[in-house]
Amino acid sequence: MRRIYQYGALLVVVLFLLVFLVLPVLTVIGAGLHWGLLAEVFRNYVYREGLCNSFAIALVTTALVFLISFPLALIYDRFDFPGKGASHLLVMLPMILPPFVGALGFQQILGHYGVVNTVLEHLGFAPVDFLGGRGRFWSVCLIEALHLYPICYLNLVTALGNLDPALEEAAENLGAGKWERFRRITLPLLKPGILAGGSLVLVWSFTELGTPLMFGYNRVTPVQIFNGITELETNPVPYALVVIMLFFSALLYLAAKCILGKSALNTTVKGIAGSAARKLSGWRRFLPTGFFFALTLFAALPHAALLLSSFSLRWYGTLLPEHFSLVHFENALSNKIVLPSIVNSLHYSLLAMIVAVAAGILVALAAVRWKLRGSFAADLLAMLPLAVPGIVVAFGYLGMSVKYAWASACFNPVENPLWLLAVAYAVRRLPYVVRSVSAGLEQTPEELENAARNFGAGSWRVLSRITMPLIAANLVVGALFAFSFSMLEVSDSLILAQKAEFYPITRAIYELSQILGSGPFTACAFGVWAMLFLAATLAAAGTLLGRKIGAVFKI
Amino acid sequence: MTTVEIQGIAKSYQPGVPVLKPFDLTIEAGELFFLLGPSGCGKSTLLRILAGLVEPDSGVIRFNGEDITRLAPEKRRAAMVFQNYALWPHLSVFENVAFGLRTAGAGKETIRREVTAALEMVQLADCAARRIPSLSGGQQQRVALARALAVNPALLLLDEPLSNLDARLRDAMRHEIRRICKERHLTALYVTHDRQEALSMADRIAVMNGGILQQCGTPEQVYNHPCNRFVAGFLGDTNFISGEAAGNGKIRSPFGELNVPACDLPDGTTIAAAIRPERIRILPPDAAGMNRIPARLTGRTFLGESCEWQFEAAGGTVDVLEFAPPERRIGDEFLLELPPDGVVLLRG
């Protein structure tokens, strides 16, 4: 009897995922997988260049992410230094606002009349066009890397923490030098962590829409897809672009997963992981602290610029704004799309959080506790959004509302995208919730639940009195992530929220930034609000889970 | 008080690798019954089958004649003290102990009274508000016991509850658990691999090996009259002397002809004679007589109140345990007396 309910619950989740994840993807493939259409894309110079640029952005961003995160993770793991605890939180700072909002701040630094060019001019050099041509490409990569490096950093720190220091000590004992130890012992053992973080960043940056859009960088595939929405009826090329994008994302992800699967066998050796952290003496112990803070400060530059812009009245051709005022904050709050957008975002994100947490708990329970047949497939399905770009799913919903009568009746984005956006957000964040809850269940001995049954508690009572309270921290973190990332979601929001009255925060910021004159400043002020809000949620998550927070970003 | 009947219970987790072979056992009402055996012998599996946490492949379990084989674990009232205690870390000591009463729908006043009584019984009344992680191992063990006692169980199950405690605490808890079980007239099933625990606490012991019940009886029966080599060896140190029956209460062995208790084995049957080290007497070398064999002292292990001596005789080595041992010199010759009533004849 109990089994029947469990299978019933699993079936509901699987059906949900089939309708809101698999069906949209299939719809897009159905509409875009025509050889004529695909051939046209590859024949067209503009689309070819877009694909090449997207690839280049993904590769360069990922490389930059490792350049930033590897030294940070190593320093964090290997040294004890003053302010170590604070630095761990500080590193997460760049995640607290979508990179496309950071792009707004970035323009103040690198723009034609921005800070850097002002300095260059004072020094007697000609101003450089950072935001046009090649400069624009590097700016996009840099700002995405500065946003995404925490994902890799968290993965690497977790992987390093799981390394038994004795493995390296054994190599040292057998005469291996520092560099050889790192190359032949540490690096191979870190492979799972590297691949897990790397593949996430690769897919993420390959399909990122917001940042290039903000920089007006139109020759990248996601922006081309976004711009094609308005003429979808006459020009089906975006469908083909989406199919190509999906194909390459899945390929990148699977490649990483395959290599990871092979190496997983070698890394199951896990001793009692003691800390290998070394204490430095004298002034040197401040070196790691300095390095940490300098890098974080650099990563936070867009945020700082955003903050300054939001307070400034005039900021052209000077190092700092000339006058400060709170007028943009007032404007931001008095603009007629801002307050409704906050309410909308809260609606969407809260709903998304509830849906994602409910589905995540069921998938994790089915796989870890109930060990149902087919739960492996459900788990795989729930992880699928990591390999499927958000833009594909959002596009799929559009396609579904056009193709199926029932879909256009139930969730037409033009009429009211409330449920559609909530579901889209939920599906996108489901992997993180499932991972977080699964980790919690795996760390909780099943015997505690057996004991409760032994003392007369039925299934529901065991779940509510024992299991849920025991994994409360993981639930809270999963929910916070689902919520905060929903608040910051870009692709779904830009594509699915089509009427001003339904705009979520991200779409409202985008619209504000497009207004000439003081628009970008108002957008900056609004971005600051959003940033503060997210800082609070992430800080709460960080304190609740500590170092374990890295587990959320594993594939 | 509950009588527990186990009939033909069998279990295998992988096909062809049985953990329990079909098994019959009856635990009398109010009995403190022990399952004793090495790890992997299936004793914990049997316990979990009784609790309903593992489903048997075949067989029937009856509580007071009522078939409960397929009853859900939460409806069995078979409270268990788990090996690692399985105390809920998010609940206080009081709430842990109160859990079973709450699920049973007891009133507030009843809960307070019963929990306090259970905690007093394990001498933890002043720890009710403490958090689980702040307790020592011994305290946690007692909370687990109180939790099981508070629900007034039909059957109390104890899964190696003392294995994580240090020696002194273990000794104290043995007496406590037996006292409480007897005071409350509980039917209890206690699983352990520690023979001292089983011998000192049990009303009856079932010795298990390889998923099979080897012997069932009182501590004195299984210790003094083991039915096979495994039981003899598992319950205590034993000297095994192989030989063959020679009729008339005699056997032929490498130590010569020995008098043993009368038996009806035909002449020439291969047998093993088992004799416990403490039953052998050490005599001066000039006191020749029946069942006395010459031997040279080759080693000693001093244990305080007793001493284990190793002897080398013509037919092999013999271990002897002597209480209040005198000084003896290694290398000296002695006579060892093997009293016939201390010898147990085993097949093979």
Side-chain angles (χ1 to χ4, degrees), chain A residues 229-371:
Chain A
I229 293 179
T230 44
E231 41 185 304
L232 207 52
E233 315 265 298
T234 52
N235 182 7
V237 163
Y239 280 117
L241 285 175
V242 170
V243 167
I244 294 166
M245 188 135 258
L246 175 65
F247 175 75
F248 284 118
S249 306
L251 208 67
L252 288 175
Y253 183 79
L254 281 179
K257 188 106 188 175
C258 278
I259 307 169
L260 181 69
K262 266 187 223 149
S263 68
L265 270 179
N266 313 331
T267 50
T268 44
V269 195
K270 211 196 270 179
I272 300 156
S275 173
R278 208 146 55 90
K279 265 203 169 73
L280 296 168
S281 57
W283 59 273
R284 276 201 224 159
R285 71 204 156 101
F286 290 104
L287 272 183
T289 320
F291 187 66
F292 244 89
F293 279 71
L295 244 173
T296 313
L297 218 65
F298 182 65
L301 264 185
H303 311 59
L306 184 78
L307 200 64
L308 280 176
S309 304
S310 66
F311 283 111
S312 67
L313 266 184
R314 239 181 70 85
W315 194 4
Y316 294 112
T318 51
L319 202 56
L320 285 174
E322 288 167 51
H323 301 285
F324 291 96
S325 102
L326 289 173
V327 68
H328 302 305
F329 286 92
E330 282 169 32
N331 285 349
L333 288 183
S334 62
N335 189 299
K336 68 177 188 309
I337 63 168
V338 165
L339 275 181
S341 80
I342 295 174
V343 176
N344 286 340
S345 268
L346 281 174
H347 264 149
Y348 303 151
S349 305
L350 278 174
L351 269 175
M353 181 181 85
I354 293 166
V355 173
V357 168
I361 288 175
L362 282 176
V363 172
L365 275 177
V368 181
R369 273 295 185 272
W370 304 338
K371 299 182 178 78

Side-chain angles (χ1 to χ4, degrees), chain A residues 390-447:
Chain A
I391 198 166
V392 174
V393 180
F395 225 71
Y397 291 145
L398 275 190
M400 276 164 74
S401 72
V402 174
K403 196 171 165 189
Y404 306 108
W406 61 267
S408 88
C410 294
F411 48 85
N412 191 333
V414 183
E415 295 198 348
N416 190 349
L418 169 66
W419 280 102
L420 195 52
L421 272 173
V423 165
Y425 290 166
V427 167
R428 298 273 292 138
R429 302 309 159 208
L430 189 56
Y432 305 112
V433 181
V434 171
R435 273 295 145 265
S436 181
V437 178
S438 297
L441 286 176
E442 276 156 12
Q443 287 155 7
T444 309
E446 205 175 344
E447 201 78 332

Side-chain angles (χ1 to χ4, degrees), chain A residues 100 337-349 417 421 425 486-512 526:
Chain A
F100 91 106
I337 63 168
V338 165
L339 275 181
S341 80
I342 295 174
V343 176
N344 286 340
S345 268
L346 281 174
H347 264 149
Y348 303 151
S349 305
L421 272 173
Y425 290 166
S486 296
M487 295 289 282
L488 292 179
E489 221 286 339
V490 178
S491 336
D492 292 326
S493 312
L494 289 190
I495 291 173
L496 293 176
Q498 298 181 347
K499 272 192 190 163
E501 56 187 302
F502 302 124
Y503 283 170
I505 290 178
T506 41
R507 176 91 205 219
I509 291 178
Y510 175 68
E511 292 298 328
L512 285 180
F526 194 12

Side-chain angles (χ1 to χ4, degrees), chain A residues 6-43:
Chain A
Q6 292 174 350
Y7 274 108
L10 185 65
L11 191 71
V12 171
V13 181
V14 169
L15 275 179
F16 170 77
L17 286 174
L18 284 179
V19 172
F20 291 104
L21 179 61
V22 176
L23 191 60
V25 171
L26 289 181
T27 309
V28 168
I29 293 176
L33 197 65
H34 297 297
W35 300 117
L37 212 55
L38 291 177
E40 195 187 317
V41 169
F42 283 108
R43 262 200 306 275

